[in-house]
Structures are given as C-alpha cells and as structure tokens.
Amino acid sequence: SSGTRIGSFEIVDLLGAGGMGAVYRAYDPRLRRQVAIKVLPPTVAGDADRLQRFEREALAVARLAHPNILAIHDIGTHEGSPYLVTELLEGETLRQKMAGQPLSIRRAVEYASQIARGLAAAHEHGIVHRDIKPDNLFITRDGRLKILDFGLAKLTDADAVTDADAATLTVRGLGVLGTASYMSPEQARGAGADHRADLFSLGVVLYEMLSGVSPFRRGSSAETMTAVIREEVPEFSSPSVCPPPLNRILRHCLEKNPAERFQTARDLVFDLEALSDPASVPVRPAGRRFSNRYLRALFTVCALALIAGAGFMVGQRTAAPAQRPGITGIYRLTDFSGIEEFPAIAPDSKAVAFTARVDGSRQIFVRLLAGGTALQVTKEAVDHEMPRWSRDASAIVYFSPAAPGGRHGTIWEVPALGGAPRRIIDSTGGGDIGRDGRVACFRVADGQIELVTASTDGADVAVVTRFSEPVYYTFPRWSPDAKWIAYQRGDGVRWDIFVVPAGGGPPRQLTRENRQIHGLAWLPDSSRIVYSSSRGSTMSYLPTLSLWEADLDGSEPRLVAPGEPSYVHPDIHESGTMVASRLQMQFDLWRYPTDAAPEDNVRRALRLTRQTGQIQTPTVGSSDREIAFLSDSGGHANLWVLTLGQGELRQITHERDRSVALGVPVWSPDGKRIAFVSSRGNTGLGFGVWTVAPDGGNLRNLAANGLGMAWSEDGQWVYYTDAGVVYKVPETGGPAVRVRSGPVRNVAGIAGNTLYFIVDGTLADGSPGFEVHAATPEDAPSRLLSRIPASRAPQWQIVNPSLSPNGTSLAMPLTDGVTTNIWTLSAATGGWRQITDFGERPIFIARRVSWSADGRSILAAVGEGDADIVMFETTASSR
C-alpha cells in the first residue's frame, strides 16, 4: 500500500500487475527521484522457475546501459518477495500505441530502428531477449522506445552462464518459452535459439506496425506455432503500405532459416536507418549481397530529405534547377582488419586510393572500384598519409610526417601502381592537386603558417595567404573550378571550415561549428562542401561524426549522412560518387595493473563495463569503490558514477541542451566533489569549471571560463587554466587567485607545494609538441621534466596527465604507431615507463586516465576501432 517502504524506497501507488508480479511507482529519497519497483508476489516467489526468470531479468538488464533498454537501479528482497528497481517510464506500450491500427511508415521504421539498436546492445553482451512483442516495448512521452522484460533472456556469454543456463543451451525439448505469435520458427520447434530469433520477432512486430495485424496469430497456440514454422507472412495490400525497399528488409528479418536472416542487429540498424524517407523510396532492382559482419544487403534504396543546392551528379552548367544528392546505396570497398582512412577517388573513376596499417605504419593502397584485391603502393617503414590523385590518374601524391624533432613533413609523388617516390615540397600536412596540376599545402615560414601552391616538381611556389594565429590548419582542398581553396582551421579539438580565393585574398569562414571536423570535399559544381563533423553529437572526445553539407553563402549546414557509426574523410568524384571512411568504435572502462611488463599488464587487465555507447575520461573516488566518467547514454553526454562490485550506475548530471558540452571529470581527494568542465552559459570555444556532489546534488559553477583542472591535496582548491594562465578557486566558491602566468595548457596535479603542468612546445608539422613542467613552489620558475612530440599526442587526444596519489608519477595516454598506450612519467627523474602494450590493435584512449586510490592500478576508457572505406551511390533530384 501507499507509504510502505521496500528497502530504502517508499511506495507511492500501484501501476499494474500481471503473471510475473506487480509494478509500483515509488520514491527514492536518496536521489530524490521516482522509480518503478517490480515485486514478485509471495505466491510465486517459491516457484523456482519463475524466480530464476526474475533473477535472470535483473542480471540481464543490470549488465546493459543503453537508451533503448529499461535501466535497472537496484535489486533486493522484501518480506520474502524479490523486487527489482528500475527507471520510471511515462508513456504507453507499443500495443497501446497501435490500438489495433497500423502506424505511419516513418514511425514504424523509427521504432524498429530503436528496437534494433537496443537488441544490438543486448546481443553484444551475450543476451538474447526471446520475447520481443508490442507488450514488452514501451514508448515514452518523448518518443523513445524502451525494451522491457528480459525475464526470458538467455545469457550466452561463457562467463555469465550458470549451470542451469548451460543445460538449456545444450538440451532441447525442455519446453517453449516466448509468445507464440511473435516467436521464431526455431523457438516454436523447441530448438536452440540464438540472437537471430530476436530479429525474427522484430520482423513480426514491424509487420504488425505496418499492417495493424499480427501475421501469424491463429485460433490456438498450436495453430499459431504451425503458422510460424510453415507459413510466409501475407503480402501487403499495396506498395503504399510497405514500399519495396522496406519490404525487402522485412522479409529478410522473417526468413525461416536463421542463416538467411540479418546476422546481426547492427546490420539491421544500418539498413533501416538508410531509409530516411521510406514512403518515397523508388523501386530498384535487387543487387548483389555482401556477406560480412558489418554490411549486408546494402543495395537497399533510400532518399534523404531534399537539400537545397547543387547536385553530386555533374553535367553541363546550365540554367536548369540545381541538383542535390539522394543516397541510393552504401557499399563497403575494403575489409582489412583495422583502420582504413583517407579515401580518394581517381579522376577516371576507376579506382580509390586509401591508407591502411602495415607493420605499424600507414601505407597507400589502391583498389579498383569494379572489385579485386587492393594493391599496396608504398613500402617504406614510415607513415604515408592523405593520398590524392594526379589529374591523369597516373600518380598519387601523399604526405609523410616529420621525423621526431623535425619541423616539416614532406609531400611525395609515387606512380599509381607503385615505384620510387619523388619529393615535391616540405609541408605540415597533406596536400591536394588542382585542375591545373598544382599542389596546395600548408608550411611554416618565419614563424607563420603559409598556404602555398606549387608545381609537382616543387618549383614555382606561390604564397596564397599567411596566418599568424597559433592554431592548426589542415586538409586543403581545391574547388573543381580552381577558384577556391578550402581548409580546416581550429585549436586541435574544435574546428571550422574556411575558403580563400586561390589567387589570394581574405579567407571566408564557411562554418561556425566549433566542433570536431575530420575532412572535407567539394561538390562538382564548386558551390558547396561536404564535410565530416561531430555536429549533433554531445560527446567532447572521439564523438560520432556525420556528413554535412555547407553552401559557400554560409547558410545553415544540412545533414547528408547521419553518423552511427562515424563517417570521416569524404571525397567526391565529378560524377557524384562519394567515398568515406566508416569508423566504428567500442568503448569500455578497464583497470590495468602497473607492476608488471606492459604485455602482462594488458593480459591481467580487468574489464569494468560492457558499454554500447561512448564512454570517456574516468576518475576514481577516494575509496576505490566508485568511478565517475563521461557517457552519452540517454542521448546526451553527462557524468555517470559506477559502483564497483554492485555494478550500480547512476547519472549525476542531467544536461539536455544539445548546444552544451561537458568534459573531463576529476574527483576530489576527499571524495566529496567531482570537478568537470561545461560550456553552459558560454559561447564560442568557452568552457567553465563546475563541481557536483557524487550523488548529483549541489551543482556549482566555480569559474566562468576554465579548462585543465586539478585538485589541491586537501580538496579545498580547484586549479585550472584560462587563456594560458593558472588560477585556483576555493571549492566552496569565491574569487579566483592567480597562481602563475602562461602559456599553460593543463594543470596535471599538485603534490605538496609542487605544481605539475603542461605547456605547448615548439611547432612541428603545424602542430605544437608538449612539455611537462614542475614548479616548487607553485609560482616559482619551472623546471622541464620531459618533452612530448606532437606525433605522440594526436589532436583528438591532448596531453592531460593524472598525478598518482603519492605524487611520484604522472600517467597519460600516448600514441605509439597504430595504437594508444598508457605511460607514466617519473616526477623526480623525468624517466618514462610503459604500462600497456596493445601491439598493433587500433586502440583509442582520449584525454585522461585515472589512478586508483591505492596507486596500484590505472583506469582508462579504452576504445577499439575498425574502419572500412565505403562508397555512397547517389542520384540527383530536382531542388
């Protein structure tokens, strides 16, 4: 009854009851929020099978943290009855939403995509739901779909399967679990069912959303299961109910043989999300299927919402209406293990050049678009990056970075089929070849950055413009009409795109993103640019990147291809064909011991989470029992806290404004506060310093502008930098005290009366290296501990060390060839020690790691990536 206490929760009222128990609305006084409590009644609590299913539900959901899966907060027993505490949902089930009527095509595809994303998360954790149906799918008031009731879930991870579970995995004929009209044929036969059974059930639900009827439901359970096993779903009354491209996806889900269905939920997500406007997609003949882990049946035709501007398909320039792209297919061109980057289409449209890792170095490869094995063009054991084709497609121009300590890298030319490279010009990054055969690139001269053009023999160098700002310039791109050169400009983290007249003149800012941008390409008519941006993502580090389109007139950019996974480094042929690198990353928190050899530390590491979204920059509480980190679970980057051992997750910031970004939490030594940065209330590139209590209370803005924070040893002061100057502000709030002048990038920590901090080093390859300094006392002249070349700290990474609890070492991620490893720097001697060795794995660790409270291990958010080159097939439609 109302007022009853279950654990620390107070019952408010009854929400509903069913065979698996009653669900109540309750109040959580600790976090001051309402929750839902599911209680198994005493009459069935003694039923071993039902109790096992209830506990399985708790275990399954507790292992997941995904916006499309009901979140679990707690579990316990009250007066002999087990209970489960979850987030409280406001809305209705999908069954209630449909009310026996079909949904719109757009809404059905949207819900199916959300179901598939949630299932992908569960399947990647070894969990099969086995009872996907409209009653177990909940639509919240803001339109988000949540998967409920993992009571029938079957755990398939070897480390999570109990003896009872193992028996059900191997012994058949023990009964059928699920709901007859939504189960897969293998479930209906009582055979073993894996994750593909959920995809069949999702197909049944999608059919019902489109038609308003359940396709297999008959007069009895036996008749229903017979229909599931033997009968095909009825055809739709007309293509307007289910357009052919969507119908092909649906039928692929509903194959009777699991081997003929989509093999992963990720594949299904990809195909569904390609249908941005399913009702308007034209019919297109079925094509070849690619059988691989990531992309299947990608000849699904789609049309993105119309975007004003000139089209990808180019012909004679006339007064006809401008054209814009419609994406009709996405095809994977490479299948290497690891990261393939920087695709470039040959002018004759017969081949694509790209880079891939070989023995620790990037090498240039060429692959015919018609198919076949990729040819390795470069062989030297140095990096070869950013390939661009000569105008006659006979050669490839590429960039090799500077050697350690060098000021410039070099742009080279190599025959398209391999051979001896020829030096063209020194440069700080990759170049591009214009219509007249001249190479555009950036270089350093007299302390300034110059944008120059040169002939391919390196002679006849002309300066287009000079820049005195100490920022980064990269990715120069000639417009097809040779009138403009576009490029990226930024601080290494946040970028924008500028264009400058090729003959010289003032630059024009084309975008106002202040976000991560990874590459750009001109459309054939030179009126617009497609670029890769984190616009729309709220993660500050290694975010998901989408493809956007910007006009030269500076109007609001428009979405071309949504990122999930990311699309980076686009290139567009004059015919309208577009290629990009398609990047996927899986992040989790790991704990690495520090007392053994690097390979052994990796082998002995403990995985702390099984995450499906982005997770970054952990910080450990004073008791070693809790970890705070940045995660985009719930659709916006916020701070979360994980309680180790219990696996309990709680969200402690609740930012929803997509224009606001949060970053780098740092726990105070006394465990009472967590400092972090937020852009709330700031414009441009500004961040401020904030603190919050570990329970989410007492949110406080300490400094309007600041970055690179660290706590004093007693937890009374927060140190930070603003415009290169170090300040400290009382933890309780108040005026900031100036500590030392800059330029200082980040404060690494304070031990006794010694301040450790990072400054930008000398400029190399257009990027500064970094220096680690110490000052005793904090305002005294500093001493240099070590220099870090720019090549060891990519722009997405930045050097932001973490000081050990005993003040003897600084830990940080540094790039080693193809991967990122954790290193420590002795505060006394400046000597380096490698903590991890990931070999050739494409590992990403952004920004900051954290020492455990006892100083015996290091915690890091580790992402492992894989990227393939994909080709977008496009058509043009009238404006």
Side-chain angles (χ1 to χ4, degrees):
S1 60
S2 178
T4 302
R5 297 191 70 85
I6 295 183
S8 61
F9 306 96
E10 181 178 328
I11 297 297
V12 177
D13 55 36
L14 177 67
L15 296 176
M20 279 297 289
V23 180
Y24 298 88
R25 182 194 309 270
Y27 179 70
D28 179 356
R30 294 173 300 176
L31 299 181
R32 300 177 183 178
R33 62 182 176 183
Q34 290 194 331
V35 297
I37 297 184
K38 183 174 184 178
V39 181
L40 196 66
T43 54
V44 295
D47 185 320
D49 179 63
R50 289 197 177 190
L51 184 59
Q52 182 186 50
R53 285 162 56 188
F54 183 84
E55 292 174 345
R56 186 181 297 141
E57 176 177 355
L59 178 59
V61 182
R63 297 174 66 204
L64 303 175
H66 191 274
N68 296 120
I69 295 175
L70 181 73
I72 182 172
H73 299 321
D74 199 4
I75 188 172
T77 303
H78 175 73
E79 297 180 354
S81 296
Y83 67 84
L84 183 71
V85 183
T86 71
E87 63 180 315
L88 179 66
L89 302 179
E90 300 287 348
E92 58 187 344
T93 66
L94 180 58
R95 173 79 66 206
Q96 294 166 326
K97 182 80 171 179
M98 292 190 295
Q101 299 296 318
L103 303 178
S104 69
I105 296 173
R106 186 182 299 278
R107 186 60 55 83
V109 170
E110 176 188 339
Y111 289 159
S113 297
Q114 293 191 57
I115 299 168
R117 284 197 294 267
L119 289 176
H123 295 167
E124 288 165 7
H125 287 71
I127 300 169
V128 183
H129 189 284
R130 295 199 296 176
D131 198 21
I132 295 295
K133 59 184 178 180
D135 312 81
N136 285 339
L137 302 168
F138 195 92
I139 312 298
T140 65
R141 288 179 177 173
D142 62 358
R144 186 176 297 280
L145 183 142
K146 298 273 188 176
I147 303 175
L148 313 178
D149 195 1
F150 276 78
L152 299 179
K154 179 174 67 177
L155 301 179
T156 58
D157 274 355
D159 62 351
V161 176
T162 65
D163 292 340
D165 291 323
T168 63
L169 287 176
T170 55
V171 180
R172 300 183 178 184
L174 296 182
V176 177
L177 290 177
T179 302
S181 56
Y182 298 95
M183 64 177 53
S184 66
E186 56 270 30
Q187 286 175 284
R189 289 193 298 267
D194 61 17
H195 63 279
R196 293 169 294 183
D198 285 346
L199 302 185
F200 186 95
S201 300
L202 192 161
V204 177
V205 171
L206 176 56
Y207 185 99
E208 187 169 351
M209 287 193 289
L210 293 167
S211 67
V213 297
S214 180
F216 299 118
R217 184 174 294 144
R218 303 292 186 267
S220 67
S221 295
E223 292 172 318
T224 297
M225 288 192 286
T226 298
V228 167
I229 295 170
R230 297 180 180 177
E231 299 178 17
E232 299 296 331
V233 295
E235 295 290 342
F236 292 98
S237 58
S238 75
S240 64
V241 177
C242 180
L246 178 57
N247 194 27
R248 285 194 288 272
I249 293 175
L250 176 63
R251 302 281 168 173
H252 197 29
C253 291
L254 294 173
E255 295 283 1
K256 301 297 185 185
N257 183 352
E260 297 178 2
R261 293 177 207 147
F262 286 100
Q263 294 301 289
T264 73
R266 291 286 180 203
D267 292 344
L268 176 55
V269 169
F270 189 87
D271 275 18
L272 286 171
E273 292 188 346
L275 299 174
S276 64
D277 189 1
S280 66
V281 177
V283 179
R284 182 172 178 268
R288 171 189 173 193
R289 283 183 181 172
F290 288 81
S291 178
N292 59 73
R293 180 179 177 188
Y294 297 108
L295 305 176
R296 302 182 64 85
L298 291 187
F299 286 83
T300 302
V301 184
C302 66
L304 291 174
L306 293 181
I307 302 174
F312 282 8
M313 308 302 290
V314 68
Q316 297 294 323
R317 297 289 300 276
T318 70
Q323 303 288 304
R324 65 143 320 264
I327 295 177
T328 59
I330 306 176
Y331 311 97
R332 193 176 73 162
L333 299 178
T334 65
D335 57 2
F336 294 12
S337 175
I339 306 293
E340 290 94 76
E341 302 172 284
F342 309 117
I345 304 176
D348 61 8
S349 74
K350 293 181 179 179
V352 61
F354 60 92
T355 66
R357 306 281 186 174
V358 178
D359 296 329
S361 300
R362 286 189 178 106
Q363 301 293 342
I364 307 294
F365 287 78
V366 171
R367 179 196 186 278
L368 295 176
L369 292 181
T373 302
L375 171 69
Q376 183 176 340
V377 175
T378 59
K379 307 287 186 179
E380 301 86 1
V382 296
D383 278 339
H384 306 73
E385 303 175 351
M386 305 179 189
R388 307 298 293 169
W389 290 86
S390 64
R391 299 309 298 169
D392 62 1
S394 65
I396 294 172
V397 168
Y398 66 88
F399 172 71
S400 286
R407 189 175 181 82
H408 280 108
T410 304
I411 292 180
W412 300 81
E413 183 183 71
V414 66
L417 298 181
R422 180 176 62 83
R423 179 188 175 279
I424 296 178
I425 190 173
D426 287 343
S427 175
T428 63
D432 190 34
I433 301 181
R435 188 174 62 183
D436 60 358
R438 290 181 67 83
V439 177
C441 64
F442 292 101
R443 69 180 185 181
V444 178
D446 299 325
Q448 292 184 312
I449 297 289
E450 294 181 340
L451 174 60
V452 301
T453 66
S455 58
T456 54
D457 61 3
D460 188 23
V461 177
V463 177
V464 178
T465 190
R466 292 183 174 90
F467 309 95
S468 58
E469 300 93 336
V471 293
Y472 307 134
Y473 298 86
T474 186
F475 287 113
R477 290 290 181 265
W478 283 96
S479 62
D481 61 10
K483 294 180 179 179
W484 300 92
I485 299 175
Y487 57 90
Q488 286 183 210
R489 172 189 183 275
D491 66 354
V493 180
R494 292 156 294 189
W495 300 83
D496 271 299
I497 293 174
F498 290 71
V499 295
V500 63
R508 180 197 304 175
Q509 185 168 352
L510 197 61
T511 67
R512 301 189 182 277
E513 301 277 301
N514 290 331
R515 294 179 179 275
Q516 291 200 31
I517 294 178
H518 288 242
L520 61 136
W522 286 88
L523 272 75
D525 67 356
S526 300
S527 70
R528 291 169 294 159
I529 287 172
V530 170
Y531 62 101
S532 170
S533 171
S534 64
R535 184 186 182 96
S537 172
T538 59
M539 286 295 286
S540 298
Y541 323 116
L542 294 173
T544 299
L545 296 111
S546 305
L547 296 182
W548 294 80
E549 179 185 88
D551 289 339
L552 283 186
D553 62 11
S555 57
E556 188 71 11
R558 296 168 295 273
L559 182 65
V560 173
E564 192 177 335
S566 291
Y567 293 109
V568 298
H569 306 138
D571 188 47
I572 301 172
H573 186 258
E574 62 180 14
S575 67
T577 299
M578 181 168 67
V579 292
S581 181
R582 181 173 180 260
L583 173 64
Q584 302 183 90
M585 280 196 285
Q586 172 68 42
F587 280 91
D588 274 302
L589 291 180
W590 289 79
R591 181 195 295 270
Y592 296 95
T594 60
D595 58 352
E599 300 89 343
D600 291 334
N601 289 334
V602 171
R603 188 162 46 249
R604 294 165 52 205
L606 176 64
R607 185 178 183 175
L608 303 177
T609 64
R610 292 181 179 272
Q611 188 80 9
T612 57
Q614 286 274 61
I615 186 170
Q616 299 288 356
T617 57
T619 182
V620 180
S622 59
S623 66
D624 261 351
R625 292 185 58 253
E626 293 189 318
I627 306 169
F629 53 88
L630 186 68
S631 171
D632 65 353
S633 180
H636 193 292
N638 274 292
L639 301 188
W640 292 70
V641 171
L642 169 68
T643 302
L644 297 177
Q646 301 175 14
E648 177 187 343
L649 275 170
R650 66 179 182 272
Q651 186 176 343
I652 62 170
T653 64
H654 301 273
E655 184 60 66
R656 303 302 303 172
D657 187 341
R658 301 197 70 80
S659 67
V660 175
L662 280 65
V664 190
V666 183
W667 215 310
S668 64
D670 58 13
K672 295 179 179 179
R673 305 286 292 169
I674 299 170
F676 64 99
V677 296
S678 171
S679 65
R680 172 161 289 282
N682 294 65
T683 59
L685 303 179
F687 279 85
V689 178
W690 296 67
T691 62
V692 66
D695 64 0
N698 199 17
L699 182 65
R700 182 184 298 149
N701 184 199
L702 295 184
N705 294 282
L707 291 166
M709 305 156 305
W711 289 89
S712 61
E713 285 186 305
D714 59 8
Q716 300 302 305
W717 295 86
V718 177
Y719 288 69
Y720 65 93
T721 65
D722 179 20
V725 177
V726 179
Y727 296 88
K728 62 181 179 182
V729 62
E731 181 275 329
T732 54
V737 177
R738 187 185 184 103
V739 175
R740 64 182 302 116
S741 298
V744 178
R745 176 178 284 269
N746 292 313
V747 180
I750 301 92
N753 62 344
T754 299
L755 176 72
Y756 297 93
F757 55 93
I758 308 301
V759 302
D760 287 340
T762 56
L763 198 67
D765 269 4
S767 304
F770 302 92
E771 295 179 352
V772 185
H773 285 246
T776 310
E778 60 190 27
D779 58 351
S782 65
R783 65 184 186 278
L784 175 67
L785 283 179
S786 184
R787 290 187 174 91
I788 302 172
S791 61
R792 298 292 309 280
Q795 295 162 2
W796 54 264
Q797 188 172 296
I798 303 298
V799 176
N800 193 347
S802 173
L803 184 64
S804 61
N806 61 9
T808 61
S809 297
L810 295 154
M812 66 200 80
L814 294 174
T815 294
D816 295 308
V818 301
T819 192
T820 306
N821 280 300
I822 301 171
W823 291 74
T824 60
L825 175 68
S826 169
T829 67
W832 288 97
R833 179 168 176 260
Q834 187 173 355
I835 300 301
T836 64
D837 185 351
F838 293 106
E840 296 295 301
R841 293 165 57 192
I843 295 295
F844 298 81
I845 304 174
R847 285 299 188 273
R848 194 175 189 275
V849 297
S850 177
W851 291 87
S852 61
D854 62 12
R856 299 171 61 186
S857 58
I858 294 173
L859 287 85
V862 177
E864 185 154 10
D866 186 271
D868 293 305
I869 306 304
V870 297
M871 179 173 67
F872 297 77
E873 184 178 275
T874 63
T875 60
S877 57
S878 293
R879 193 177 205 162

